[in-house]
Amino acid sequence: MAFLLSSFAPVWPILLLAKTAVAVPPAHPMITPAPDLEARVVQRDLNPGSYIESIISGFGSDVSSYIASGVPQFFQDFPSGEAVESSLGITDSDLAPSPTQVLNIPAYGNWTEQGWNVRVHGNVYKQPNITEDRLNDLANVFLVGTDIDELAIPEQEQARNFTASIFVVQQPDVNVTINFENDVDVRPDASGGVVNAEGGVQSIDLPYETTPEGDFDTFIILQNTTGPNGGHLIAGNTTSSIQALNMYTNGTNTGNATAYLVPPTGFTIISDIDDILRVTKIYDPVEGLLNSFARAFTPWMNMPDIYANWSATIPNFHFHYLTTTPEQVTRNYMEFIYATYPLGSFDTRPLNFSDVSATLSIRKFLLDKIFQTFPERKFVLVADTSNSDVMSDYPQLVRDYPGQVQCIFLRNTTATDATDLFPYDTSGFEGIDQRQYMFFVTPDDLRNVDIVGGNCYNPAVVQNVTFGYQGRGFGNAGSSIRWDGSWSWLSVAMALWLCLL
């Protein structure tokens, strides 16, 4: 089956399952690197007899090499820059009157001998003027099996807004200035013990211009300037409190975010979002796309209660949210998180990487960065079994950073959702102390764990973990699953993408 979109094919390889191989996009410049960080390629270990490989081998040369390697293209090859202009039939001169906008991503900062060191990152772009009819056409690209006219009015509006956030034109070579203010609205007992900083008000020009893809990502040292009432930032080696400063970008009212100054010791939770904090069903192609592009974000069961309890009971718990969704579409994620879960810093997939290997290992790249930024902190990792990166990267972090991984909590999506047909590999957990990790089914399974005490396993939650491939057709999960041809080629490819996000 060839899934062809003639208006985009020349500039945007969306997910073409044609009879020719999909071209690998050209290399992009590297983001501003942090010291001593190396991106590592995470090789996908597809068992020769596995369900996934049986599907891929059935496709032969018809399936993209990106999909076959476990990295689907649909959410990696969003159009950018000239590709957006070409697909919309516009030029730089058409965009000139449009205001410059900034996606400023909530930041974390660490304490150094020079003072507080804040990682500032985001993207500078312009929003083209796109008609509603054209947005409907573009939205239908993502709504596979559904037309936007078939959606409820609120879902149509969200689909158009989401699509508009994809079709933006990134602005290269821009000088970015960040203004820091101590005016954060901290919610009592809902922010992991975050306090409003009493100093640090200042304006800083970032040391680098934006990349060709409009990205900026760099650490900057804050001066301990006096606040409105004569207060100052508290030195990181004299406090256990997380201090918060708001960040505003010069020249726009869209580039607002918060920076969290995190002391050297304590606990940091790194939480995935899809199918952990919100209902996404990334393993179900049609539902996953509708939940991502059209439906309002909905919390997964009572997970907000669990996070609120952790926020109120674990002293100065630093919340960090990590999603490998590309940064163009993460504003919805951030708005949802801050309306539903404790305040915290954020990581997402930037647009510019130097090579395919960095793209393949984006989650590990971001995890290594925060682990190396806080070498004395202990980390709590929360995700689900539908993501192959998580299943390999999280147990590897236990070995790479001895003593830093306090807990690993993984939701077993195959246990509660019959539409999750894909196996997961638990072999990385062999040899790790059971008290350090737990596979859970509902949020309530997490109620009786002792994060601070290091007992992360609730004995009431039966594990029965064998080390190897699990899930439908594997391990103890039931009878084998065979692909009977009832799924379209597109559906299978989309499932491969969604289950590996």
Side-chain angles (χ1 to χ4, degrees):
M1 172 182 177
F3 180 67
L4 299 177
L5 295 167
S6 58
S7 61
F8 295 94
V11 295
W12 183 23
I14 296 177
L15 180 62
L16 300 179
L17 299 181
K19 297 298 182 181
T20 56
V22 176
V24 175
H28 297 300
M30 190 61 177
I31 60 175
T32 305
D36 302 321
L37 291 179
E38 295 182 1
R40 304 187 328 175
V41 180
V42 178
Q43 299 294 336
R44 293 333 192 249
D45 181 18
L46 295 179
N47 192 356
S50 74
Y51 172 61
I52 292 179
E53 180 146 316
S54 69
I55 295 175
I56 293 175
S57 62
F59 288 158
S61 61
D62 292 334
V63 71
S64 162
S65 61
Y66 268 52
I67 298 172
S69 68
V71 181
Q73 282 179 286
F74 196 81
F75 250 16
Q76 289 186 24
D77 291 323
F78 280 165
S80 61
E82 293 180 357
V84 171
E85 293 180 341
S86 177
S87 63
L88 296 177
I90 60 176
T91 64
D92 286 344
S93 59
D94 295 324
L95 270 178
S98 300
T100 299
Q101 301 187 55
V102 177
L103 173 67
N104 197 1
I105 298 173
Y108 55 77
N110 65 316
W111 178 252
T112 71
E113 292 180 356
Q114 292 75 40
W116 285 107
N117 186 39
V118 179
R119 180 187 171 209
V120 180
H121 57 131
N123 188 267
V124 179
Y125 63 94
K126 286 193 174 188
Q127 179 76 63
N129 184 17
I130 311 175
T131 67
E132 183 173 305
D133 287 344
R134 184 64 171 140
L135 279 175
N136 287 344
D137 292 339
L138 296 172
N140 280 333
V141 171
F142 304 103
L143 300 172
V144 177
T146 305
D147 190 279
I148 192 169
D149 292 336
E150 300 172 6
L151 302 176
I153 296 300
E155 294 176 343
Q156 291 183 24
E157 293 175 351
Q158 170 139 328
R160 282 190 287 269
N161 290 337
F162 204 88
T163 302
S165 71
I166 295 171
F167 285 86
V168 297
V169 179
Q170 291 76 24
Q171 301 298 295
D173 306 320
V174 175
N175 293 299
V176 178
T177 299
I178 302 293
N179 298 315
F180 290 87
E181 301 284 349
N182 49 9
D183 56 356
V184 179
D185 182 16
V186 176
R187 295 171 291 175
D189 297 326
S191 307
V194 172
V195 299
N196 197 355
E198 296 184 2
V201 175
Q202 59 200 275
S203 180
I204 297 180
D205 298 328
L206 300 191
Y208 307 99
E209 295 179 338
T210 57
T211 67
E213 291 79 17
D215 280 338
F216 57 91
D217 190 340
T218 186
F219 281 89
I220 57 175
I221 297 292
L222 294 182
Q223 301 300 313
N224 197 355
T225 58
T226 304
N229 299 314
H232 288 81
L233 298 176
I234 307 173
N237 56 359
T238 63
T239 183
S240 60
S241 296
I242 301 166
Q243 301 168 81
L245 285 166
N246 275 334
M247 304 186 295
Y248 303 94
T249 308
N250 266 7
T252 176
N253 59 6
T254 60
N256 304 337
T258 304
Y260 299 89
L261 309 183
V262 181
T265 60
F267 293 96
T268 290
I269 178 172
I270 301 179
S271 178
D272 210 343
I273 296 174
D274 288 307
D275 291 310
I276 288 295
L277 306 186
R278 64 173 288 245
V279 176
T280 313
K281 294 180 179 282
I282 60 177
Y283 37 78
D284 182 326
V286 174
E287 286 294 296
L289 285 170
L290 286 173
N291 289 330
S292 294
F293 285 90
R295 293 172 180 159
F297 284 18
T298 303
W300 176 56
M301 300 183 69
N302 60 325
M303 202 63 161
D305 296 338
I306 301 299
Y307 274 50
N309 179 62
W310 285 346
S311 175
T313 59
I314 300 176
N316 302 309
F317 202 16
H318 169 215
F319 286 81
H320 182 71
Y321 302 97
L322 190 157
T323 175
T324 55
T325 302
E327 61 192 5
Q328 300 105 304
V329 296
T330 53
R331 203 180 292 276
N332 280 5
Y333 278 76
M334 290 186 284
E335 290 174 354
F336 166 74
I337 289 297
Y338 298 137
T340 317
Y341 291 95
L343 298 175
S345 52
F346 220 93
D347 252 324
T348 184
R349 180 192 294 273
L351 289 178
N352 52 321
F353 278 91
S354 59
D355 53 36
V356 173
S357 65
T359 301
L360 291 174
S361 59
I362 176 59
R363 186 184 299 274
K364 189 62 164 61
F365 177 88
L366 296 172
L367 287 165
D368 281 336
K369 178 171 286 191
I370 191 169
F371 266 74
Q372 293 176 20
T373 301
F374 299 102
E376 298 178 66
R377 289 189 76 82
K378 294 183 180 295
F379 291 87
V380 177
L381 308 175
V382 186
D384 69 273
T385 58
S386 67
N387 189 304
S388 64
D389 281 356
V390 164
M391 297 305 297
S392 60
D393 291 348
Y394 282 17
Q396 187 60 42
L397 288 168
V398 176
R399 301 174 175 92
D400 290 347
Y401 301 97
Q404 280 194 261
V405 177
Q406 185 81 346
C407 302
I408 300 176
F409 299 123
L410 296 172
R411 177 195 170 193
N412 183 358
T413 53
T414 65
T416 56
D417 199 329
T419 62
D420 184 359
L421 302 177
F422 290 90
Y424 56 96
D425 185 5
T426 58
S427 58
F429 289 87
E430 189 168 10
I432 296 177
D433 190 333
Q434 174 66 82
R435 293 174 300 175
Q436 205 165 356
Y437 70 93
M438 180 175 70
F439 294 87
F440 67 98
V441 177
T442 68
D444 285 337
D445 293 340
L446 299 170
R447 287 194 181 278
N448 294 322
V449 298
D450 179 11
I451 290 176
V452 175
N455 191 355
C456 309
Y457 170 50
N458 179 355
V461 182
V462 178
Q463 297 292 278
N464 292 332
V465 177
T466 57
F467 301 108
Y469 277 91
Q470 313 291 319
R472 301 182 188 281
F474 294 87
N476 57 9
S479 61
S480 63
I481 300 292
R482 293 185 299 274
W483 181 52
D484 61 6
S486 61
W487 285 8
S488 70
W489 293 48
L490 176 61
S491 294
V492 174
M494 287 300 299
L496 289 172
W497 157 58
L498 290 163
C499 79
L500 292 165
L501 258 183

